[in-house]
Amino acid sequence: MNVPITPTEDCALALDRADSLAEFRDRFYLLADTIYMDGNSLGLLSKDAEVSLIQTLEAWKTQGVAGWFKGDSPWLNSAEQIGDLSSEIMGAKADQVIHSATVTVNIHALVASLYEPAGSRVKIMADELNFPTDIYALKGQMDIRGRDWQEDLVIIPSADGRTLDEDTIVEMFDETVALVWLPSVLYRSGQLLDMEYLTQKAHAKGIIVGFDCCHSAGVVPHELDRWGVDFAVWCGYKYLNSGPGGSAFLYVNRRHFDKRPILTGWFGNRRETMFDMSQDFDPGQDAGKWQISSPGILGSSTLRGSLEMINEAGIQAIRAKSLLMTEYLIALVDDLLTDPPFSFRIGTPRESDRRGGHVALERQTGTEQICEALVKRGVVPDFRPPNVIRICPSPLYGTFQEIWQTVGHLREIVEVFSK
Ligand SMILES: *Cc1c(COP(=O)(O)O)cnc(C)c1O
């Protein structure tokens, strides 16, 4: 797309005309009279995902229990197959990815195995802007190990309350740290961290690195293998459009395949011996051994259609459009929403290699009321207290014109409020 970005509606129209992903919009159930800017919280339903869900219902209807073993996609291998479908977007060899459980459960499962405090190397590092559930899981794991997290959980500070500085993080790495847990993209500001650099620096200090990729999976290309990341998790319901509460994924680098699952369950057993029903756990050979329970087949089946569509669109093309969308949005905010009385500021880094798929708009006062007024006008963003409106234009089903319209609504709302 060679359309110069200008803060005009004509620019939006030209970008929409040149959009090579435009055809994907018709494959989604768009909400009536709504501009949906919240795909980073819950992605919309696609027809592709609906079809794969119906196929699963059909298999259940016509085959009953045989569905576990029969048909094109026997449920017994569903977690591996769906894991394979996400290996390209995550840059991971298939045996290192498995579809399993939920994000928080996967953090517990992996940290239980990979956090091995020994000698003076006992600490876990995480950042003060991390998603709360991640921190709860880390503290719980430290409790189980009898570690005092007041002392051994090192919290990386943010200088501006929005972003993290990679070099500050790296300076904190030392021989007392066993494991560092970071987000790929910060859920509030939308900052994208340099995962390759952080991994390399952590390894140089003998630290194991894990990433929560919930806010980047499906919108930012990953190269987990090449970067050498030790472990990662991500959810299905944000940019992967799997549906509310859909199940999640985990990645474990091969170098840790010798580790023992601790939150052990029968789905982590080797498939060949699983139905021997021995009481001795016989773990699988790859990332699959960190599965715990039977996969929720109905909930996961949407991912089949959804991930095939994402692979068809291509993660590079998705990222390219997403970056153009956020760049256009930032240009509009600079030109139309910055001066008083609008008085918004961008809380997201401006460099394209430092932002994920959404933009954080901040305002000193009235942000929550402005967000409510947007929703009344049929624009769906989301609000993160105390003063952030997150706007996420979806590269698969959103348009540039919708971004133009969203900014127009914001101007009108503030104009009305300040009369
Ligand atoms: C969405 C999200 C979660 C969600 O966790 P669940 O256990 O699936 O509810 C966790 N962490 C981050 C960073 C998220 O963005």
Side-chain angles (χ1 to χ4, degrees), residues 102-104 131 133-134 212 214-215 237-238:
T102 53
V103 175
T104 314
F131 199 89
T133 198
D134 296 45
D212 185 323
C214 282
H215 274 275
Y237 47 78
K238 288 169 181 153

Side-chain angles (χ1 to χ4, degrees), residues 173-189:
F173 290 160
D174 66 29
E175 301 65 41
T176 65
V177 180
L179 184 151
V180 56
W181 181 247
L182 291 164
S184 52
V185 167
L186 277 67
Y187 76 97
R188 191 193 301 262
S189 70

Side-chain angles (χ1 to χ4, degrees), residues 100-112:
S100 179
T102 53
V103 175
T104 314
V105 169
N106 287 339
I107 299 173
H108 275 290
L110 297 185
V111 173

Side-chain angles (χ1 to χ4, degrees), residues 51-75 297-298 301:
V51 166
S52 57
L53 172 61
I54 289 171
Q55 281 168 350
T56 304
L57 285 170
E58 211 41 52
W60 179 24
K61 198 191 286 177
T62 56
Q63 300 177 21
V65 71
W68 280 105
F69 309 99
K70 286 200 178 143
D72 294 340
S73 35
W75 304 332
I297 297 296
L298 286 183
S301 62

Side-chain angles (χ1 to χ4, degrees), residues 236-366:
Y237 47 78
K238 288 169 181 153
Y239 294 101
L240 301 184
N241 309 314
S242 70
S247 39
F249 296 80
L250 63 82
Y251 168 90
V252 179
N253 192 293
R254 278 181 195 159
R255 78 175 74 95
H256 298 297
F257 281 181
D258 60 336
K259 302 259 159 63
R260 210 164 53 90
I262 306 283
L263 266 66
T264 344
W266 74 315
F267 261 75
N269 201 90
R270 271 202 311 134
R271 284 291 165 273
E272 295 77 14
T273 57
M274 175 175 176
F275 290 100
D276 295 353
M277 300 313 245
S278 161
Q279 293 192 350
D280 291 321
F281 181 57
D282 178 15
Q285 303 296 305
D286 55 23
K289 70 174 145 180
W290 278 277
Q291 291 173 85
I292 301 170
S293 292
S294 316
I297 297 296
L298 286 183
S300 355
S301 62
T302 48
L303 274 166
R304 215 178 282 285
S306 183
L307 282 168
E308 276 167 5
M309 184 204 280
I310 288 172
N311 289 331
E312 180 189 333
I315 191 66
Q316 300 296 343
I318 290 173
R319 172 66 167 163
K321 179 173 173 189
S322 165
L323 279 176
L324 267 181
M325 291 180 117
T326 49
E327 188 184 336
Y328 176 61
L329 172 57
I330 290 171
L332 292 182
V333 173
D334 282 347
D335 198 57
L336 299 168
L337 287 177
T338 300
D339 293 338
F342 306 106
S343 308
F344 282 98
R345 90 178 279 295
I346 306 269
T348 307
R350 282 159 184 275
E351 304 90 323
S352 59
D353 58 353
R354 292 185 69 220
R355 53 176 209 272
H358 72 271
V359 171
L361 292 189
E362 299 173 7
R363 198 168 186 274
Q364 289 268 299
T365 56

Side-chain angles (χ1 to χ4, degrees), residues 216-254:
S216 57
V219 76
V220 174
H222 296 66
E223 297 197 60
L224 297 179
D225 282 351
R226 194 176 65 75
W227 298 336
V229 169
D230 293 284
F231 68 112
V233 301
W234 57 96
C235 66
Y237 47 78
K238 288 169 181 153
Y239 294 101
L240 301 184
N241 309 314
S242 70
S247 39
F249 296 80
L250 63 82
Y251 168 90
V252 179
N253 192 293
R254 278 181 195 159

